[in-house]
Amino acid sequence: MCCRTEGRCSIKWSTPTLVVLACLVVLSGCKPRTSGQPAPVAPSQPIRAVPPGARVLPPPVEPEAQTPEQAAQSACLSNVRLVALASLMYCQDYDERMPLHTRWTSVVTPYMRSTREFQCPAAPQLKVGYAYNKLLSSKSLAAIPRPNEMLMLGDSDLGGPNPATGLTLAAVALRHVSPTAGPGGNVGFVDGHAKWFQKRETQGTARPPQPTD
């Protein structure tokens, strides 16, 4: 009901209407505001100015989950690299000569964190899952052409305490299967890097460079 008095409109609320309004205020958790009280203002967040030309980093991208096979291949590749680096540290202490192939694991072990690095996660039944290139046995590093292409060790099913062979890519065990590239194997090189090769890359006729002495 609205009554006009001297140009103003005043609303007269009935008692039931007021009771309903009070209940709605209580249920909504809001406090009634008295006449003349300013409405609450939400606190504003400070705005940070970005200097011209500044790079804004995107949000971090979560890494994709690996399958068990992919995790084993990655761990194996890490082991191959660590064994290759340990072999090079041995060389630095022994006149720049590569380990003897008949006892290469025993002489390299002191330079490793754990002998478990000799094991391939995809072949846990083998105490040593990698074969050493016996053509490097006791060779001087200076006599090895293109160390970045010379195979030092790779995935192998030979087994035994010191597995060694005239290592070529064709002799590498293809125990790791990529969902996109198929089977392949991990290989370490004389310069200390390691790489995974697909099956088709291991079946070529080219031979790696050979030591000269």
Side-chain angles (χ1 to χ4, degrees):
M1 176 177 181
C2 178
C3 298
R4 292 187 174 273
T5 305
E6 296 180 358
R8 293 180 300 174
C9 178
S10 61
I11 300 176
K12 294 184 178 181
W13 300 97
S14 62
T15 301
T17 302
L18 292 176
V19 172
V20 171
L21 290 176
C23 292
L24 291 175
V25 170
V26 173
L27 291 175
S28 64
C30 300
K31 295 182 178 180
R33 183 162 48 93
T34 59
S35 177
Q37 182 179 358
V41 179
S44 60
Q45 297 294 329
I47 300 177
R48 298 181 180 179
V50 179
R55 296 180 60 188
V56 179
L57 295 178
V61 179
E62 294 294 332
E64 295 183 2
Q66 289 187 321
T67 64
E69 292 79 9
Q70 290 173 321
Q73 188 272 331
S74 297
C76 173
L77 185 65
S78 176
N79 285 352
V80 169
R81 182 179 61 85
L82 291 173
V83 175
L85 293 175
S87 300
L88 291 177
M89 287 189 283
Y90 166 87
C91 290
Q92 293 176 355
D93 290 343
Y94 290 91
D95 300 325
E96 298 290 319
R97 289 192 171 273
M98 297 294 292
L100 188 66
H101 73 280
T102 56
R103 55 189 184 95
W104 70 273
T105 58
S106 58
V107 299
V108 169
T109 295
Y111 300 90
M112 299 173 62
R113 295 175 300 182
S114 170
T115 55
R116 295 190 64 180
E117 292 167 356
F118 285 122
Q119 290 182 296
C120 174
Q125 73 280 7
L126 299 176
K127 185 176 181 181
V128 181
Y130 313 112
Y132 180 71
N133 186 353
K134 67 179 182 182
L135 299 178
L136 299 175
S137 185
S138 297
K139 299 297 182 181
S140 169
L141 284 177
I144 299 175
R146 304 193 300 277
N148 62 316
E149 299 178 18
M150 175 65 71
L151 280 60
M152 182 194 296
L153 71 152
D155 281 321
S156 174
D157 295 326
L158 288 177
N162 291 282
T165 182
L167 190 63
T168 64
L169 286 177
V172 175
L174 307 178
R175 60 168 64 120
H176 303 288
V177 180
S178 166
T180 57
N186 291 320
V187 176
F189 294 81
V190 174
D191 69 341
H193 85 279
K195 182 180 178 181
W196 181 82
F197 284 91
Q198 301 180 42
K199 180 179 180 179
R200 63 179 179 83
E201 296 177 298
T202 66
Q203 296 178 333
T205 56
R207 293 177 58 83
Q210 303 300 306
T212 57
D213 68 342

